[in-house]
Amino acid sequence: MEEVNILQDTINGHGYWDMLLEELVVRKDFKNITLMYTNEKKYKYIFDNCYKVDFTHCLEYERESTNDELSPCFFRDIHLAIIDRVAQKKIYVVKIDAYPVKLEIWCDYIFIQEIE
């Protein structure tokens, strides 16, 4: 089984569907993205050495808050793929639907942590 399939199975096994995105942190000029949510355990996903980060917020979603807080986002889908780029380097493509936000992240590494 390919590494991307193992990662996808691991993420799917965490039961992310309809879980609240509790933390979304963008660091180092979009080079590192961290997201966190809780189901039965707390899960942290780290996307490291990012090349592309695309955030889209649903236009129809009415934002209630006028401050800098993230709108409540609920996971609907997380899909992983790999593309081959220059010099046979693999890059992960991660598409996340966390209504009302959608993310597309291209990165070298994905780290998954379970926090007790």
Side-chain angles (χ1 to χ4, degrees), residues 25 27 31-36 43-50 94 105 107-113:
V25 179
R27 292 189 182 99
K31 215 174 152 189
N32 180 287
I33 309 289
T34 301
L35 58 87
M36 193 174 326
Y43 296 102
K44 180 188 267 189
Y45 300 160
I46 302 167
F47 307 100
D48 197 35
N49 206 26
C50 298
V94 185
I105 302 167
C107 62
D108 281 335
Y109 308 102
I110 300 173
F111 302 101
I112 299 172
Q113 298 175 350

Side-chain angles (χ1 to χ4, degrees), residues 9 13 15 18 21 32 41 45 76 81 87 91 96 107 112 115:
D9 288 347
D18 220 19
L21 174 60
N32 180 287
K41 296 181 180 178
Y45 300 160
R76 292 188 172 173
I91 296 174
I96 299 170
C107 62
I112 299 172
I115 302 168

Side-chain angles (χ1 to χ4, degrees), residues 8-106:
Q8 183 72 64
D9 288 347
T10 300
I11 290 170
N12 290 347
H14 292 162
Y16 63 81
W17 176 261
D18 220 19
M19 294 295 109
L20 176 67
L21 174 60
E22 296 170 352
E23 184 175 315
L24 175 63
V25 179
V26 179
R27 292 189 182 99
K28 301 178 187 173
D29 297 329
F30 294 96
K31 215 174 152 189
N32 180 287
I33 309 289
T34 301
L35 58 87
M36 193 174 326
Y37 68 95
T38 302
N39 192 349
E40 293 176 6
K41 296 181 180 178
K42 188 174 285 267
Y43 296 102
K44 180 188 267 189
Y45 300 160
I46 302 167
F47 307 100
D48 197 35
N49 206 26
C50 298
Y51 299 98
K52 175 181 178 180
V53 179
D54 183 23
F55 289 84
T56 305
H57 195 286
C58 179
L59 289 173
E60 291 82 23
Y61 181 86
E62 192 169 326
R63 297 179 187 192
E64 296 174 9
S65 177
T66 57
N67 59 22
D68 291 337
E69 290 180 6
L70 179 67
S71 301
C73 300
F74 296 92
F75 286 103
R76 292 188 172 173
D77 191 34
I78 300 174
H79 179 75
L80 306 179
I82 289 181
I83 56 173
D84 294 322
R85 299 300 280 182
V86 179
Q88 309 253 335
K89 183 178 186 176
K90 70 177 179 188
I91 296 174
Y92 291 102
V93 176
V94 185
K95 294 183 178 181
I96 299 170
D97 183 352
Y99 183 80
V101 173
K102 289 189 179 184
L103 302 160
E104 182 174 337
I105 302 167
W106 292 20

